Amino acid sequence: MASEELAQKLQRRLQLEESGAAAEGEAEAVKDAVAAGEVEERSCLTASAGAELSAKLCRRQDINEGAAQPRRAAVFNPYTEFKEFSRRQIKDMERMFRLYDSGRDGYIDLMELKLMMEKLGAPQTHLGLKNMIKEVDEDFDGKLSFREFLLIFHKAAAGELEEDSGLLTLAKLSEIDVSIEGVKGAKNFFEAKAQALSSASKFEAEIRAEQDERKREEEERKHRRAAFRELKSAFTQ
């Protein structure tokens, strides 16, 4: 009887040892799989980073060799890029752009351009509107950014638009006098460019005038505040 009980205990212990060994084997297999996964993930990340760096280096090399053009920055300064226009003219163009940018997203899309041309009294067909955008659409997004909107007047002033172009019609019908007889009354664009470059003093004068106007408004506000304080103190005494 005792021998049978001892045999059962020994068998039980053997089973426990065998199950323990199996569990350890499974744990080791899981560790190996995780380690292999980490190695594979690291290699994938390394390969991805290497590919991205390689693409950047290739593009830089293409730019240096003249095979590719650097990407244009999203933000630009219209006053320095479009020097042929005065500050007042650019501000007028900006007001007009914002007027028809009803979506307030910084772009004039096809439907907004349609409304603009209807308001100006020169409605266009759907195809005509698409062609208008295409003439100045540098990034091929199917809508006009403010820079592309300025290009309309730039091209009109330079005589680069066809007579039947919808963009030329837009430039003529707008209240911004920059395109019909050339920029600032010049006979051609190159003469206008020379005039613009030689009128730096006028440009600076416009800036000073704006600054003086802001100072005058600030002085008026100070005087009004002082007068209000005096009036208030007179009533509180």
Side-chain angles (χ1 to χ4, degrees), residues 96 108-110 112-118 120 122-138 142-145 148-149 151-152 155 161-162 164-173:
M96 184 178 183
I108 292 179
D109 60 24
L110 189 72
E112 291 167 341
L113 181 60
K114 178 178 183 292
L115 177 62
M116 177 190 291
M117 297 306 293
E118 290 174 352
L120 293 174
Q124 303 287 314
T125 64
H126 184 79
L127 180 60
L129 292 167
K130 292 181 70 174
N131 288 335
M132 287 174 65
I133 293 176
K134 187 177 179 181
E135 284 189 73
V136 289
D137 189 9
E138 294 184 315
K143 52 189 177 181
L144 300 176
S145 65
E148 292 164 345
F149 186 73
L151 281 177
I152 297 173
K155 288 178 175 289
L161 298 175
E162 298 295 333
D164 59 349
S165 169
L167 293 185
L168 184 59
T169 303
L170 187 157
K172 286 181 177 180
L173 292 176

Side-chain angles (χ1 to χ4, degrees), residues 16 26 28 36 55 69-70 79 140 163 167 189 209:
L16 290 174
E26 290 178 359
E28 290 296 328
Q69 295 296 324
Y79 303 109
F140 308 106
E163 190 63 33
L167 293 185
F189 176 73

Side-chain angles (χ1 to χ4, degrees), residues 13-223:
R13 179 171 294 181
L14 287 173
Q15 290 175 349
L16 290 174
E17 289 178 355
E18 288 176 356
S19 61
E24 290 179 0
E26 290 178 359
E28 290 296 328
V30 169
K31 289 181 181 179
D32 292 341
V34 170
E38 290 179 352
V39 171
E40 183 178 357
E41 182 179 3
R42 284 197 296 269
S43 63
C44 289
L45 291 174
T46 304
S48 177
E52 183 178 357
L53 178 60
S54 177
K56 288 182 178 179
L57 291 175
C58 289
R59 176 161 177 79
R60 174 56 56 188
Q61 185 177 359
D62 289 342
I63 291 173
N64 293 337
E65 294 176 355
Q69 295 296 324
R71 294 185 179 92
R72 184 180 298 277
V75 179
F76 79 103
N77 187 335
Y79 303 109
T80 57
E81 187 167 347
F82 294 89
K83 294 180 180 179
E84 66 268 29
F85 301 138
S86 68
R87 286 176 61 85
R88 185 173 297 278
Q89 287 170 333
I90 290 179
K91 286 182 179 296
D92 288 342
M93 296 178 208
E94 185 177 11
R95 278 193 291 271
M96 184 178 183
F97 181 85
R98 289 180 177 177
L99 176 64
Y100 291 101
D101 176 21
S102 57
R104 299 293 184 268
D105 58 353
Y107 295 94
I108 292 179
D109 60 24
L110 189 72
M111 295 306 297
E112 291 167 341
L113 181 60
K114 178 178 183 292
L115 177 62
M116 177 190 291
M117 297 306 293
E118 290 174 352
K119 292 284 187 180
L120 293 174
Q124 303 287 314
T125 64
H126 184 79
L127 180 60
L129 292 167
K130 292 181 70 174
N131 288 335
M132 287 174 65
I133 293 176
K134 187 177 179 181
E135 284 189 73
V136 289
D137 189 9
E138 294 184 315
D139 52 7
F140 308 106
D141 61 354
K143 52 189 177 181
L144 300 176
S145 65
F146 180 52
R147 183 182 186 280
E148 292 164 345
F149 186 73
L150 291 177
L151 281 177
I152 297 173
F153 298 94
H154 171 84
K155 288 178 175 289
E160 297 176 358
L161 298 175
E162 298 295 333
E163 190 63 33
D164 59 349
S165 169
L167 293 185
L168 184 59
T169 303
L170 187 157
K172 286 181 177 180
L173 292 176
S174 70
E175 297 180 356
I176 304 167
D177 184 19
V178 296
S179 59
I180 309 307
E181 296 179 359
V183 183
K184 301 178 182 177
K187 295 179 180 178
N188 55 60
F189 176 73
F190 298 103
E191 182 181 341
K193 194 74 171 178
Q195 285 186 10
L197 293 175
S198 65
S199 62
S201 58
K202 182 179 179 180
F203 186 82
E204 293 173 358
E206 289 178 342
I207 296 177
R208 285 197 298 270
E210 291 180 1
Q211 292 173 344
D212 292 340
E213 179 68 17
R214 286 195 292 268
K215 288 180 181 178
R216 185 183 63 79
E217 292 175 354
E218 182 62 28
E219 288 296 328
E220 289 180 355
R221 283 194 292 269
K222 288 181 180 179
H223 288 310

